[in-house]
Amino acid sequence: MKTLVWVEHDGSSVKDATLAVVTAASKLGEVHLLVAGSGVDGVDGVAKEAAQIAGVGKVHVADNAAFGHNLPENIAPLVAELMASHDAFLAPATTTGKNIAPRVAALLDVMQISEILSVEGDKSFTRPIYAGNAIATVESSDAKLVLTVRGTAFDKAATSGGSGTIEAVSAGGDAGLSSFVGAEIAKQDRPELTSAKIIVSGGRALGSSEKYEEVIVPLADKLGAALGASRAAVDAGYVPNDYQVGQTGKIVAPQVYFAIGISGAIQHLAGMKDSKTIVAINKDEDAPIFQVADFGLVADLFSAVPELTGKI
Amino acid sequence: MKILVPVKRVLDYNVKPRVKSDGTGVDLANVKMSMNPFDEIGVEEAIRLKEKGVATEIVAVSVGPQKAQETLRTALAMGADRAILVQTDDAVEPLAIAKILKGIADAEQPGLVILGKQAIDDDNNQTGQMLAALTGWAQGTFASAVNVDGDSVNVTREVDGGLETVKLKLPAIVTTDLRLNEPRYASLPNIMKAKSKPLDTKTPADYGVDTTPRVKVVKVSEPPVRSAGVKVADVDELVAKLKAMGVHS
């Protein structure tokens, strides 16, 4: 089987999410990549980096102003055209992948299989449903596959050792339907949430953004951890939206997940219950989070967390 | 302009799903069902656009069993003007739903279709994007703000890392994210009034759509259960546990 993997990049380097997708694709067959973007230098650099990824065959490079901001109206027809010579399209289950892949699937008249957790056979996969409360094993009967891949479920492919050949693609252009207006990207000097080894997450019990800064941030700093939050903390405005872990936020599976002042609603658990070790600090001993926590501390977070920060 | 709001009847989000012991699916017998939360946000946004004078009519649509009428009545009670139920007892996949919605869009000629970003049962996150592909319209997924401006709409999207704004030519497809708005509750008088609002019943065949599934569900199982953890007595004990795991700066 020939697969085509969507390379998510920021215009200068390949994003980590792509590496897990390459691993999933390699279980199906030959791995080809697609680097689409705008601007010769950036896209060339990304393509060269992509070609180094272990196990990669061909790297298709589509450089066109229309591909600059991952607009699905412009990208999906390009992918659909390349799919004439591929059997499967795989994208990371990031906001970019989720935006593009279903549009590709409909253009190809196939059903997409979202957020696969494992490859069971050539056309068989597992995926979570009901916020991760059930796992479905599914089998496609379509001629071509369109898949999005949950990054935390697959090992990342090595970023070196590959020797892909780079080939320019001239297909596609501006569909004239949409344009990019602007972006506000939250500044973070810390590890990215979805790839961090340790995550310190805060919930509604913190009470304010000042307390989040005062209690959660120093512990994360000490551990070199990424910062996360429950939906309640995001909705209350303690932290930006992209900190949110859960069914509707990010799905994470770090080595250690600290849930601080988070009760553990099913929508939150959906985003973090595959973490290797879960540590919960909550003053309510009946909080559902304690049912999934490996280590639970029933205590007032405002005294326990600073003490913990001081002692590790 | 007319706005089309597809809504789905799903297991209520507060109910903990139970996997059937024969592995054929999740037990939906005698459990509370309600409107998919993201769809409520879609209905609310359509109503707000009508209140602003941008929208003239709101048509709620659902594909599903007879009981999906209840979900449509909820949308009507919130403020939708009329409803269409595409009735079928089969499980319909996003691609087939998108094809049915394309048929309805062709007939109704809406200026906007506002869907939820995902249904909380299948967690697919596909229907809006697929409908956009089939209609050839632009898509603004994971919307946290929608501003119609003449013959285009600016959609602010929640993306990994922050927010992004795109400008889409109308007609367009928007899918809602949680923070787009806070849906209103239907008042009792409005629930009563909704009973007399028009609700048409159609079938997938009316739109020439074959709903045969492309993806077969072989088995549904419980996720791996986490082994029971321990409660530690104090911070010192927690620190000792963390150090034993090698967690330190």
mmCIF file of all heavy atoms in Angstrom, chain B residues 68-95:
data_model
loop_
_atom_site.group_PDB
_atom_site.id
_atom_site.type_symbol
_atom_site.label_atom_id
_atom_site.label_comp_id
_atom_site.label_asym_id
_atom_site.label_seq_id
_atom_site.Cartn_x
_atom_site.Cartn_y
_atom_site.Cartn_z
ATOM 1 N N ALA B 68 -35.832 11.569 17.116
ATOM 2 C CA ALA B 68 -35.026 12.765 16.875
ATOM 3 C C ALA B 68 -35.923 13.995 16.731
ATOM 4 O O ALA B 68 -35.460 15.134 16.791
ATOM 5 C CB ALA B 68 -34.148 12.580 15.641
ATOM 6 N N GLN B 69 -37.236 13.754 16.556
ATOM 7 C CA GLN B 69 -38.216 14.856 16.568
ATOM 8 C C GLN B 69 -38.079 15.688 17.839
ATOM 9 O O GLN B 69 -38.210 16.901 17.798
ATOM 10 C CB GLN B 69 -39.631 14.278 16.539
ATOM 11 C CG GLN B 69 -40.128 13.986 15.164
ATOM 12 C CD GLN B 69 -41.666 13.966 15.123
ATOM 13 O OE1 GLN B 69 -42.323 14.369 16.065
ATOM 14 N NE2 GLN B 69 -42.201 13.499 14.008
ATOM 15 N N GLU B 70 -37.842 14.989 18.973
ATOM 16 C CA GLU B 70 -37.707 15.694 20.256
ATOM 17 C C GLU B 70 -36.560 16.702 20.192
ATOM 18 O O GLU B 70 -36.652 17.812 20.702
ATOM 19 C CB GLU B 70 -37.427 14.701 21.394
ATOM 20 C CG GLU B 70 -38.569 13.751 21.673
ATOM 21 C CD GLU B 70 -38.140 12.547 22.514
ATOM 22 O OE1 GLU B 70 -37.031 12.580 23.113
ATOM 23 O OE2 GLU B 70 -38.918 11.572 22.560
ATOM 24 N N THR B 71 -35.469 16.265 19.571
ATOM 25 C CA THR B 71 -34.300 17.143 19.449
ATOM 26 C C THR B 71 -34.649 18.354 18.579
ATOM 27 O O THR B 71 -34.261 19.486 18.887
ATOM 28 C CB THR B 71 -33.131 16.349 18.827
ATOM 29 O OG1 THR B 71 -32.996 15.125 19.548
ATOM 30 C CG2 THR B 71 -31.832 17.128 18.897
ATOM 31 N N LEU B 72 -35.401 18.104 17.512
ATOM 32 C CA LEU B 72 -35.812 19.207 16.644
ATOM 33 C C LEU B 72 -36.765 20.153 17.372
ATOM 34 O O LEU B 72 -36.680 21.374 17.222
ATOM 35 C CB LEU B 72 -36.452 18.666 15.364
ATOM 36 C CG LEU B 72 -35.468 18.004 14.393
ATOM 37 C CD1 LEU B 72 -36.211 17.277 13.284
ATOM 38 C CD2 LEU B 72 -34.513 19.050 13.798
ATOM 39 N N ARG B 73 -37.667 19.585 18.202
ATOM 40 C CA ARG B 73 -38.577 20.444 18.975
ATOM 41 C C ARG B 73 -37.788 21.321 19.939
ATOM 42 O O ARG B 73 -38.152 22.477 20.191
ATOM 43 C CB ARG B 73 -39.597 19.596 19.759
ATOM 44 C CG ARG B 73 -40.626 18.874 18.899
ATOM 45 C CD ARG B 73 -41.688 19.797 18.292
ATOM 46 N NE ARG B 73 -42.506 19.072 17.326
ATOM 47 C CZ ARG B 73 -43.162 19.640 16.324
ATOM 48 N NH1 ARG B 73 -43.120 20.948 16.129
ATOM 49 N NH2 ARG B 73 -43.868 18.909 15.483
ATOM 50 N N THR B 74 -36.716 20.781 20.477
ATOM 51 C CA THR B 74 -35.859 21.587 21.360
ATOM 52 C C THR B 74 -35.280 22.773 20.588
ATOM 53 O O THR B 74 -35.271 23.913 21.073
ATOM 54 C CB THR B 74 -34.710 20.727 21.934
ATOM 55 O OG1 THR B 74 -35.275 19.598 22.585
ATOM 56 C CG2 THR B 74 -33.852 21.510 22.908
ATOM 57 N N ALA B 75 -34.806 22.495 19.366
ATOM 58 C CA ALA B 75 -34.251 23.573 18.534
ATOM 59 C C ALA B 75 -35.332 24.613 18.213
ATOM 60 O O ALA B 75 -35.076 25.823 18.234
ATOM 61 C CB ALA B 75 -33.660 22.995 17.252
ATOM 62 N N LEU B 76 -36.547 24.130 17.948
ATOM 63 C CA LEU B 76 -37.654 25.049 17.654
ATOM 64 C C LEU B 76 -38.000 25.884 18.886
ATOM 65 O O LEU B 76 -38.306 27.067 18.778
ATOM 66 C CB LEU B 76 -38.880 24.260 17.174
ATOM 67 C CG LEU B 76 -38.743 23.541 15.829
ATOM 68 C CD1 LEU B 76 -39.913 22.587 15.592
ATOM 69 C CD2 LEU B 76 -38.622 24.541 14.672
ATOM 70 N N ALA B 77 -37.938 25.246 20.054
ATOM 71 C CA ALA B 77 -38.245 25.968 21.294
ATOM 72 C C ALA B 77 -37.180 27.019 21.599
ATOM 73 O O ALA B 77 -37.466 28.065 22.186
ATOM 74 C CB ALA B 77 -38.368 24.976 22.447
ATOM 75 N N MET B 78 -35.943 26.742 21.193
ATOM 76 C CA MET B 78 -34.878 27.733 21.398
ATOM 77 C C MET B 78 -35.077 28.936 20.480
ATOM 78 O O MET B 78 -34.708 30.056 20.826
ATOM 79 C CB MET B 78 -33.503 27.110 21.137
ATOM 80 C CG MET B 78 -33.028 26.155 22.229
ATOM 81 S SD MET B 78 -31.499 25.288 21.762
ATOM 82 C CE MET B 78 -30.290 26.625 21.926
ATOM 83 N N GLY B 79 -35.664 28.691 19.275
ATOM 84 C CA GLY B 79 -35.888 29.824 18.378
ATOM 85 C C GLY B 79 -35.807 29.517 16.891
ATOM 86 O O GLY B 79 -35.971 30.417 16.069
ATOM 87 N N ALA B 80 -35.559 28.248 16.533
ATOM 88 C CA ALA B 80 -35.562 27.899 15.112
ATOM 89 C C ALA B 80 -36.994 28.049 14.584
ATOM 90 O O ALA B 80 -37.959 27.927 15.339
ATOM 91 C CB ALA B 80 -35.057 26.473 14.910
ATOM 92 N N ASP B 81 -37.124 28.336 13.263
ATOM 93 C CA ASP B 81 -38.445 28.610 12.702
ATOM 94 C C ASP B 81 -39.172 27.359 12.237
ATOM 95 O O ASP B 81 -40.375 27.250 12.365
ATOM 96 C CB ASP B 81 -38.311 29.587 11.523
ATOM 97 C CG ASP B 81 -37.775 30.917 11.995
ATOM 98 O OD1 ASP B 81 -38.488 31.598 12.737
ATOM 99 O OD2 ASP B 81 -36.620 31.260 11.651
ATOM 100 N N ARG B 82 -38.436 26.440 11.641
ATOM 101 C CA ARG B 82 -39.065 25.183 11.225
ATOM 102 C C ARG B 82 -38.006 24.096 11.202
ATOM 103 O O ARG B 82 -36.807 24.375 11.362
ATOM 104 C CB ARG B 82 -39.776 25.324 9.876
ATOM 105 C CG ARG B 82 -38.895 25.721 8.731
ATOM 106 C CD ARG B 82 -39.739 26.040 7.485
ATOM 107 N NE ARG B 82 -38.888 26.586 6.442
ATOM 108 C CZ ARG B 82 -38.249 25.826 5.545
ATOM 109 N NH1 ARG B 82 -38.367 24.520 5.551
ATOM 110 N NH2 ARG B 82 -37.465 26.384 4.644
ATOM 111 N N ALA B 83 -38.491 22.861 11.010
ATOM 112 C CA ALA B 83 -37.563 21.738 11.140
ATOM 113 C C ALA B 83 -37.812 20.698 10.061
ATOM 114 O O ALA B 83 -38.917 20.584 9.524
ATOM 115 C CB ALA B 83 -37.718 21.108 12.519
ATOM 116 N N ILE B 84 -36.758 19.953 9.758
ATOM 117 C CA ILE B 84 -36.852 18.835 8.818
ATOM 118 C C ILE B 84 -36.232 17.620 9.492
ATOM 119 O O ILE B 84 -35.068 17.671 9.928
ATOM 120 C CB ILE B 84 -36.084 19.138 7.501
ATOM 121 C CG1 ILE B 84 -36.637 20.398 6.826
ATOM 122 C CG2 ILE B 84 -36.137 17.934 6.560
ATOM 123 C CD1 ILE B 84 -35.791 20.901 5.660
ATOM 124 N N LEU B 85 -37.009 16.550 9.592
ATOM 125 C CA LEU B 85 -36.467 15.287 10.097
ATOM 126 C C LEU B 85 -36.287 14.345 8.922
ATOM 127 O O LEU B 85 -37.251 14.040 8.201
ATOM 128 C CB LEU B 85 -37.418 14.653 11.126
ATOM 129 C CG LEU B 85 -37.030 13.230 11.573
ATOM 130 C CD1 LEU B 85 -35.693 13.224 12.299
ATOM 131 C CD2 LEU B 85 -38.109 12.612 12.446
ATOM 132 N N VAL B 86 -35.054 13.913 8.720
ATOM 133 C CA VAL B 86 -34.803 12.892 7.701
ATOM 134 C C VAL B 86 -34.771 11.577 8.462
ATOM 135 O O VAL B 86 -33.809 11.259 9.155
ATOM 136 C CB VAL B 86 -33.488 13.166 6.942
ATOM 137 C CG1 VAL B 86 -33.266 12.103 5.870
ATOM 138 C CG2 VAL B 86 -33.513 14.558 6.322
ATOM 139 N N GLN B 87 -35.885 10.865 8.364
ATOM 140 C CA GLN B 87 -36.090 9.751 9.278
ATOM 141 C C GLN B 87 -35.485 8.453 8.763
ATOM 142 O O GLN B 87 -35.697 8.052 7.626
ATOM 143 C CB GLN B 87 -37.589 9.563 9.527
ATOM 144 C CG GLN B 87 -37.852 8.739 10.765
ATOM 145 C CD GLN B 87 -39.328 8.652 11.064
ATOM 146 O OE1 GLN B 87 -40.085 9.609 10.832
ATOM 147 N NE2 GLN B 87 -39.760 7.517 11.563
ATOM 148 N N THR B 88 -34.728 7.812 9.626
ATOM 149 C CA THR B 88 -34.158 6.496 9.329
ATOM 150 C C THR B 88 -33.763 5.838 10.641
ATOM 151 O O THR B 88 -33.314 6.520 11.568
ATOM 152 C CB THR B 88 -32.917 6.599 8.410
ATOM 153 O OG1 THR B 88 -32.276 5.326 8.385
ATOM 154 C CG2 THR B 88 -31.922 7.632 8.887
ATOM 155 N N ASP B 89 -33.929 4.543 10.718
ATOM 156 C CA ASP B 89 -33.518 3.834 11.924
ATOM 157 C C ASP B 89 -32.106 3.291 11.799
ATOM 158 O O ASP B 89 -31.566 2.706 12.737
ATOM 159 C CB ASP B 89 -34.505 2.703 12.249
ATOM 160 C CG ASP B 89 -35.817 3.270 12.794
ATOM 161 O OD1 ASP B 89 -35.761 4.304 13.488
ATOM 162 O OD2 ASP B 89 -36.880 2.708 12.490
ATOM 163 N N ASP B 90 -31.512 3.453 10.627
ATOM 164 C CA ASP B 90 -30.141 2.977 10.433
ATOM 165 C C ASP B 90 -29.157 3.931 11.081
ATOM 166 O O ASP B 90 -29.438 5.114 11.242
ATOM 167 C CB ASP B 90 -29.801 2.901 8.936
ATOM 168 C CG ASP B 90 -30.734 1.957 8.190
ATOM 169 O OD1 ASP B 90 -31.268 1.038 8.833
ATOM 170 O OD2 ASP B 90 -30.921 2.161 6.974
ATOM 171 N N ALA B 91 -27.992 3.410 11.443
ATOM 172 C CA ALA B 91 -26.908 4.277 11.882
ATOM 173 C C ALA B 91 -26.325 4.908 10.619
ATOM 174 O O ALA B 91 -25.974 4.198 9.678
ATOM 175 C CB ALA B 91 -25.846 3.453 12.599
ATOM 176 N N VAL B 92 -26.314 6.230 10.566
ATOM 177 C CA VAL B 92 -25.857 6.901 9.347
ATOM 178 C C VAL B 92 -24.493 7.547 9.600
ATOM 179 O O VAL B 92 -24.307 8.261 10.577
ATOM 180 C CB VAL B 92 -26.879 7.954 8.875
ATOM 181 C CG1 VAL B 92 -26.473 8.533 7.541
ATOM 182 C CG2 VAL B 92 -28.273 7.341 8.766
ATOM 183 N N GLU B 93 -23.559 7.270 8.717
ATOM 184 C CA GLU B 93 -22.194 7.796 8.865
ATOM 185 C C GLU B 93 -22.103 9.251 8.389
ATOM 186 O O GLU B 93 -22.899 9.685 7.553
ATOM 187 C CB GLU B 93 -21.235 6.946 8.028
ATOM 188 C CG GLU B 93 -21.068 5.547 8.573
ATOM 189 C CD GLU B 93 -20.244 4.672 7.639
ATOM 190 O OE1 GLU B 93 -20.108 5.012 6.449
ATOM 191 O OE2 GLU B 93 -19.731 3.642 8.126
ATOM 192 N N PRO B 94 -21.088 9.969 8.881
ATOM 193 C CA PRO B 94 -20.929 11.381 8.487
ATOM 194 C C PRO B 94 -20.969 11.632 6.979
ATOM 195 O O PRO B 94 -21.568 12.610 6.544
ATOM 196 C CB PRO B 94 -19.550 11.739 9.049
ATOM 197 C CG PRO B 94 -19.408 10.865 10.247
ATOM 198 C CD PRO B 94 -20.107 9.580 9.914
ATOM 199 N N LEU B 95 -20.381 10.748 6.187
ATOM 200 C CA LEU B 95 -20.369 10.983 4.735
ATOM 201 C C LEU B 95 -21.795 10.976 4.184
ATOM 202 O O LEU B 95 -22.161 11.846 3.384
ATOM 203 C CB LEU B 95 -19.513 9.922 4.029
ATOM 204 C CG LEU B 95 -19.392 10.079 2.504
ATOM 205 C CD1 LEU B 95 -18.741 11.407 2.125
ATOM 206 C CD2 LEU B 95 -18.606 8.920 1.890
#
